[in-house]
Amino acid sequence: EMTLAEIRVMNSPYTGFPVVRLGETQKPKLVGIITRRDMDGKESAALVRELMTPRNQLVVASNDIDFDGALKLMRARKVEKLPLVAEDDILLGLVTRRDLDRRRNYPHATVDNQGRLRVGVAVSGANRETMLELVSDLTSFGIDFIVVDSAHGGSSAIVKATAGLKEKFSDL
């Protein structure tokens, strides 16, 4: 019974959202999609379920669809969003046309095994304790790599800082 007001409060940059219902298994079952077009000009008290495109009108794909297959399907069916579902319409993900366009336009972007851009951070090695604290805080956000910034890469302080990072954050 979510309203548009609840979606608008999120102040999200995204233009559409899958609508799911948690069943007995607590897995998100796809029941529809609501897009910016569905919401434009509508009262905040309007119910999402009354404005969304219901599941039986959606184009969906299985999670194993590849880039070319998703693009071909989305072009053929003229859709901007492609929910990825498992058996019983359990939502596994959402591919957007914007995602595919970015991947096509930037084929050499460094991405992880899920196709997300890698994120790194540059830190100063001048103060080892401050640097380790900063990197510790940033790892909670899922950074993928660290660059130690220095004008003198061979200095003993930078060598010690790098060794400290390798020891404390060996998984990066």
Side-chain angles (χ1 to χ4, degrees):
E1 296 303 306
M2 184 177 243
T3 65
L4 287 188
E6 293 172 275
I7 290 179
R8 290 176 175 150
V9 161
M10 290 189 278
N11 198 22
S12 173
Y14 301 107
T15 60
F17 303 91
V19 180
V20 298
R21 179 175 294 125
L22 292 178
E24 293 174 17
T25 62
Q26 292 298 303
K27 293 183 179 175
K29 182 175 177 127
L30 181 67
V31 295
I33 284 186
I34 189 158
T35 67
R36 181 177 24 207
R37 276 188 218 126
D38 298 325
M39 296 184 275
D40 276 350
K42 303 297 190 299
E43 295 293 323
S44 291
L47 295 176
V48 170
R49 68 175 160 75
E50 293 174 356
L51 301 174
M52 71 181 189
T53 303
R55 166 61 186 98
N56 64 349
Q57 295 176 22
L58 295 177
V59 177
V60 300
S62 64
N63 198 39
D64 61 356
I65 193 167
D66 65 4
F67 175 88
D68 292 328
L71 184 58
K72 185 182 278 188
L73 179 60
M74 292 173 81
R75 282 180 175 162
R77 299 296 298 273
K78 297 180 182 175
V79 295
E80 295 285 322
K81 294 170 182 20
L82 181 65
L84 304 178
V85 295
E87 291 180 28
D88 299 325
D89 283 333
I90 302 302
L91 183 67
L92 300 173
L94 181 71
V95 175
T96 68
R97 184 58 196 268
R98 185 175 176 189
D99 295 335
L100 298 177
D101 289 345
R102 283 184 176 168
R103 194 155 179 192
R104 185 184 62 232
N105 293 336
Y106 303 102
H108 302 295
T110 304
V111 294
D112 64 13
N113 60 0
Q114 294 179 325
R116 300 174 302 194
L117 288 174
R118 297 266 184 195
V119 177
V121 61
V123 296
S124 169
N127 182 321
R128 186 173 185 266
E129 292 308 313
T130 301
M131 177 197 64
L132 290 173
E133 185 178 322
L134 174 65
V135 172
S136 181
D137 290 345
L138 291 171
T139 56
S140 67
F141 292 104
I143 61 172
D144 296 301
F145 62 92
I146 305 163
V147 175
V148 179
D149 186 17
S150 171
H152 309 288
S155 76
S156 62
I158 297 303
V159 172
K160 287 179 184 174
T162 303
L165 287 169
K166 282 184 173 182
E167 181 181 321
K168 189 167 182 177
F169 306 102
S170 60
D171 56 328
L172 290 179

